[in-house]
Amino acid sequence: MQKSKVYIETYGCQMNLADSEVVMGILNSQGYAITQEVKDADVILLNTCSIRDNAEQRIYGRLGNLKALKDKKPQIVLGILGCMAERLRKDLIEEKKVVDLVVGPDEYRRLPEFIDAAFGGEKGIGVKLSRSETYDDILPFREDGLHAWISVMRGCDKFCTFCVVPFTRGRERSRSLESIVNEVKMLGARGFREVTLLGQNVNSYLDEQNDFADLLAAVAGVNKKMRVRFSTSHPQDLSNKLLYTIAKNENLCNHIHLPVQSGSNRILELMNRTYSIEHYLTLIDKARKIIPGVSFSTDIISGFPTETYEDHLATLDVMQKVKYDGAYMFKYSPREGTKAFKMEDDVTEETKSKRLQEIIALQQQISFDVNQRLLEKKEIILVEGASKKSDDFLSGRTDSNKVVIFPRQANIGEGDYIEVLIDRATSATLFGSVVSVIDKKELSEIRLAV
Ligand code: SAH
Ligand code: SF4
Ligand code: F3S
């Protein structure tokens, strides 16, 4: 019998990307084939995000398109996975008649069962959250490549008042250090050159006696030719031990994504972020002393309930002080079930947009300035392949995750570490010329693939 083909589309954060690979791992081991083409699929899964209303609206739009496909091919099974599955549960099946199954982030092991039932015409819902599920023993399905996401902990216990994640992902739990290290070893043997360790609060990782600094040190020790990144860090759990560990290990990237959300203490308190802006800035200073050259990126929300113009100015002020490499910037979106949902959403849409525009414009200017300071400097980059715009140029990333474009050279290819001299910079991209090849990715490494 021909294998059924599964197509999966992923929305939201990197945790969802990693989860989609877990889902494909589970289905692949149960005899399903994975397809990249929606038109070939017998099963279509959308791994969804609920973080802001516009994230959910996009999925509803996509369901509208898929309805047309299902009208033509009614035997297709259509499933909703991820955070929207958790948030909306049976409403999705009742309101959106096209949906056959709704499966939340902790129930993916049951997907084969749900899909079988759906082929038999039965609708299915699996949305229980778990205190222990980490998919520790599941080998995620990954194409060969240079970079892999590795989910090391799940859930969130912080309960920021604006955020749905604790409700859609449940309580915090960590994978075993041993299984993570084994996965990194396997990726190294397959020729991967970079991993990003993921968690909603990755630095609150805890496996028996091992904290996140221990995990980072263990992962960095697996293969010195592999770069290690991590995201997202919460200011509350950024320990000195963690900072010293980053400083000590060459292949741990000197970049920390440290969401600030707002520059106003009053708003931070209402958000339940658990730090003051003074504490946050002290942390940044300390990290800069311990890790020379460390860079930061952040997340910012504009227009949280009661935010005044002064609060907004305080956010701009923090941005000026820290000089982030980059920022993800959002308008506040009320989410049902959260604490902030009960506060009045009193900043008008117009004011939210205006403030967001100011935040974006300032960040663009800061990114430009930060990048200008790299002119005439040497950077080591991991080459990723042809640049987006032209085959005559290659592109790679620095330690701090900035894209560098440089002229193609026959002796340089994907997966090589090279040194470049930066000679031009915009707010988004650096341009450079090759100084030397530091470490070539050997073909034999690729052939080791398991
Ligand atoms: N765990 C991470 C980020 C989780 S979600 C952290 O704690 O920093 C990613 C970002 O989405 C958040 O940092 C926040 O800036 C934004 N976000 C979350 N809920 C939001 C909401 N209701 N409205 C607007 N932005 C939101
Ligand atoms: Fe959401 Fe806060 Fe948890 Fe981040 S720390 S996932 S913003 S509740
Ligand atoms: Fe979205 Fe869920 Fe991630 S709400 S941001 S997909 S944890």
Side-chain angles (χ1 to χ4, degrees), residues 339-383:
K339 258 196 170 166
F341 192 74
K342 296 190 199 96
M343 305 174 196
E344 192 190 343
D345 182 19
D346 59 350
V347 181
T348 64
E349 186 57 29
E350 196 191 341
T351 305
K352 278 184 195 168
S353 295
K354 190 161 170 286
R355 290 180 188 167
L356 182 66
Q357 282 319 313
E358 286 178 27
I359 290 169
I360 293 172
L362 175 60
Q363 184 53 45
Q364 226 179 350
Q365 190 209 317
I366 292 172
S367 297
F368 183 80
D369 293 346
V370 168
N371 285 351
Q372 296 308 304
R373 279 197 237 136
L374 295 175
L375 292 179
E376 307 304 322
K377 298 243 163 69
K378 287 179 188 163
E379 289 277 339
I380 294 174
I381 63 171
L382 172 61
V383 180

Side-chain angles (χ1 to χ4, degrees), residues 70-337:
K70 201 165 161 162
D71 286 345
K72 271 190 258 158
K73 264 170 94 179
Q75 72 279 19
I76 288 181
V77 167
L78 181 57
I80 298 284
L81 314 180
C83 292
M84 258 173 103
E86 207 55 58
R87 203 177 84 74
L88 300 165
R89 301 175 169 217
K90 68 175 188 327
D91 295 359
L92 274 171
I93 289 207
E94 280 165 11
E95 281 169 28
K96 303 280 155 191
K97 300 269 184 283
V98 282
V99 175
D100 300 298
L101 47 99
V102 172
V103 181
D106 288 346
E107 294 251 57
Y108 295 150
R109 285 180 201 268
R110 293 179 61 203
L111 259 175
E113 177 195 320
F114 283 121
I115 294 174
D116 276 352
F119 278 135
E122 235 177 86
K123 304 235 171 190
I125 303 179
V127 289
K128 263 203 221 104
L129 287 170
S130 155
R131 285 185 175 261
S132 57
E133 178 63 274
T134 58
Y135 301 109
D136 211 22
D137 56 319
I138 306 272
L139 188 64
F141 179 93
R142 295 186 181 99
E143 304 287 341
D144 283 334
L146 290 180
H147 173 267
W149 307 107
I150 304 185
S151 183
V152 302
M153 54 87 65
R154 303 179 70 82
C156 179
D157 289 349
K158 294 280 193 290
F159 287 94
C160 302
T161 56
F162 51 80
C163 183
V164 288
V165 172
F167 305 97
T168 61
R169 295 266 169 180
R171 298 290 60 75
E172 271 179 28
R173 63 223 106 113
S174 299
R175 266 180 73 180
S176 74
L177 182 137
E178 196 191 348
S179 81
I180 297 165
V181 166
N182 284 339
E183 194 171 331
V184 175
K185 280 185 189 155
M186 244 182 320
L187 290 167
R190 274 178 69 183
F192 279 80
R193 299 283 259 178
E194 193 175 76
V195 292
T196 305
L197 307 186
L198 294 176
Q200 284 299 352
N201 295 292
V202 75
N203 48 341
S204 57
Y205 175 89
L206 193 64
D207 171 40
E208 293 173 7
Q209 306 310 322
N210 297 305
D211 64 12
F212 187 58
D214 299 325
L215 176 69
L216 271 185
V219 168
V222 168
N223 182 340
K224 290 286 170 196
K225 293 180 177 176
M226 264 171 108
R227 272 182 174 174
V228 181
R229 302 185 184 279
F230 55 94
S231 189
T232 292
S233 302
H234 191 288
Q236 194 180 318
D237 305 309
L238 200 73
S239 67
N240 285 359
K241 178 177 167 192
L242 177 55
L243 297 176
Y244 282 109
T245 305
I246 299 171
K248 211 168 84 188
N249 290 277
E250 189 85 26
N251 56 331
L252 290 182
C253 288
N254 292 348
H255 176 81
I256 305 177
H257 184 62
L258 197 67
V260 68
Q261 313 298 0
S262 166
S264 152
N265 281 335
R266 192 181 64 81
I267 297 291
L268 286 173
E269 173 106 40
L270 286 176
M271 288 176 163
N272 188 32
R273 285 294 289 183
T274 71
Y275 51 82
S276 66
I277 213 60
E278 292 75 21
H279 174 74
Y280 181 93
L281 290 172
T282 311
L283 259 182
I284 298 260
D285 279 349
K286 191 165 68 179
R288 286 198 159 129
K289 283 202 188 95
I290 297 175
I291 315 166
V294 67
S295 63
F296 293 92
S297 53
T298 201
D299 294 350
I300 294 174
I301 296 178
S302 89
F304 187 81
T306 76
E307 185 187 75
T308 62
Y309 187 63
E310 280 66 38
D311 295 323
H312 167 62
L313 289 181
T315 298
L316 298 179
D317 185 52
V318 171
M319 295 169 69
Q320 291 279 19
K321 284 190 173 126
V322 178
K323 302 223 181 296
Y324 295 105
D325 269 25
Y328 296 98
M329 300 156 283
F330 314 103
K331 274 191 266 185
Y332 170 67
S333 166
R335 309 311 289 136
E336 206 175 340

